[in-house]
Amino acid sequence: MMRNMQKYISDFEVIENIKISPQNFLLKIQRKEKLPKILAGQFVMVRVDGISDAFLRRPASINFVNYQKNEIHLLIQIVGKGTEKLSLLKKSDLLNIIFPLGNGFSFPKNKNANLLIVGGGVGVAPLLFLGYNLKNKAFKNINFLIGARNKNELLLIDEFEKYGKTCLTTDDGSAGECGLVSEHSILQNQKFDFIYACGPLPMIRAIAQYSENQNIECEVSLENKMACGFGACLCCATATTEGNVCVCTEGAVFNSKMLVDF
């Protein structure tokens, strides 16, 4: 993990805005200047223009980075007026972001470690770039476990399959195994050395508890609401073994052992 990295405020041009499910879209944005180093697990704060009651920036996980094209990809769920406005952006529109914010996932020293990357719903957003980085660093055993309510809400599965074995689970059984992510058979049939997770809080808690019971190192990315991205507003505070901390500055990635009530 790296903290205190330099932050940038920059206008990006929208290259593509792709609707990938009824409530989720993928924004590909580009700037002319060379991108700085960005860690898997970091996020941006997006300015929403042209809407009077969305004056606060919106957080968005960095889904992927293409350094050759100076592109950042943002996977965003429509949850209110601000994100709905963003979903209407068109090619060549400008988007102002603050980036890169927060810390990133860490990597085991053993390149042969058996890794499990668990995502639920739009919580898969930061995990694609994680998988890319792990494969780029020559990790040999990368497994994804992706869950959603139904097959139509499984996001970017073809992309995840580029970087590791991908298992699916849906609440209604329309794709993969039927049931919760934390109930998938891979958790009983394989032994893992390191687990990463991002998604709904109940899912994260279940995976963190599984990791603790199995004595497996686990890092989770929290999706707390954020208003500033710099630790000033305190609305994203969470309880840890080191006291209450801001997710935007001390996270969003945490070792699960640090989190209280997990």
Side-chain angles (χ1 to χ4, degrees):
M1 298 183 188
M2 294 175 63
R3 293 186 174 86
N4 300 319
M5 295 174 63
Q6 184 173 347
K7 310 299 187 292
Y8 300 83
I9 301 177
S10 183
D11 285 331
F12 281 70
E13 181 180 351
V14 174
I15 303 302
E16 282 189 281
N17 186 352
I18 307 168
K19 186 176 182 178
I20 57 174
S21 81
Q23 291 300 118
N24 297 279
F25 59 100
L26 183 68
L27 270 183
K28 296 184 179 182
I29 58 176
Q30 181 187 63
R31 73 172 193 173
K32 296 179 180 179
E33 299 84 5
K34 183 178 179 181
L35 291 175
K37 179 181 177 66
I38 297 173
L39 306 178
Q42 291 188 301
F43 65 97
V44 306
M45 294 296 288
V46 180
R47 192 180 71 200
V48 183
D49 295 327
I51 181 167
S52 60
D53 51 355
F55 58 92
L56 294 175
R57 289 179 181 261
R58 300 301 195 263
S61 295
I62 294 172
N63 176 246
F64 199 77
V65 178
N66 185 326
Y67 288 105
Q68 287 70 39
K69 295 182 179 180
N70 293 321
E71 282 186 7
I72 294 176
H73 300 176
L74 306 174
L75 178 59
I76 301 175
Q77 182 179 43
I78 301 173
V79 293
K81 292 182 179 179
T83 47
E84 183 178 15
K85 178 72 174 179
L86 294 176
S87 73
L88 302 176
L89 288 172
K90 296 179 174 60
K91 181 178 173 61
S92 300
D93 285 344
L94 293 182
L95 188 69
N96 184 273
I97 66 171
I98 304 174
F99 77 107
L101 298 170
N103 61 9
F105 294 103
S106 61
F107 304 118
K109 294 181 180 179
N110 180 9
K111 295 296 178 68
N112 292 312
N114 199 24
L115 309 178
L116 180 63
I117 304 173
V118 185
V122 76
V124 303
L127 303 180
L128 184 65
F129 194 43
L130 171 62
Y132 167 83
N133 276 275
L134 286 167
K135 187 170 183 178
N136 197 45
K137 292 178 181 292
F139 282 89
K140 299 177 176 61
N141 303 302
I142 304 170
N143 303 273
F144 294 100
L145 174 53
I146 307 297
R149 288 181 293 185
N150 56 64
K151 65 180 181 180
N152 295 323
E153 296 183 22
L154 289 166
L155 307 175
L156 303 176
I157 300 306
D158 291 346
E159 295 299 313
F160 282 106
E161 289 175 341
K162 294 178 181 179
Y163 306 115
K165 177 184 176 182
T166 304
C167 298
L168 306 178
T169 179
T170 50
D171 293 353
D172 64 359
S174 55
E177 294 187 10
C178 180
L180 302 175
V181 166
S182 55
E183 299 168 343
H184 196 280
S185 60
I186 194 174
L187 297 173
Q188 285 74 49
N189 297 336
Q190 288 196 44
K191 172 64 177 176
F192 297 100
D193 302 302
F194 206 105
I195 295 178
Y196 305 91
C198 184
L201 193 55
M203 186 211 83
I204 290 180
R205 283 182 170 143
I207 295 300
Q209 188 61 58
Y210 167 84
S211 301
E212 183 176 351
N213 293 342
Q214 299 294 320
N215 195 30
I216 303 170
E217 284 297 306
C218 176
E219 289 185 352
V220 302
S221 177
L222 299 185
E223 297 182 310
N224 294 36
K225 291 184 178 179
M226 299 178 188
C228 70
F230 292 100
C233 67
L234 305 180
C235 74
C236 67
T238 195
T240 74
T241 54
E242 299 176 0
N244 290 340
V245 301
C246 291
V247 171
C248 65
T249 54
E250 299 304 311
V253 177
F254 294 91
N255 188 296
S256 62
K257 293 177 182 177
M258 287 185 59
L259 299 171
V260 176
D261 298 329
F262 267 63

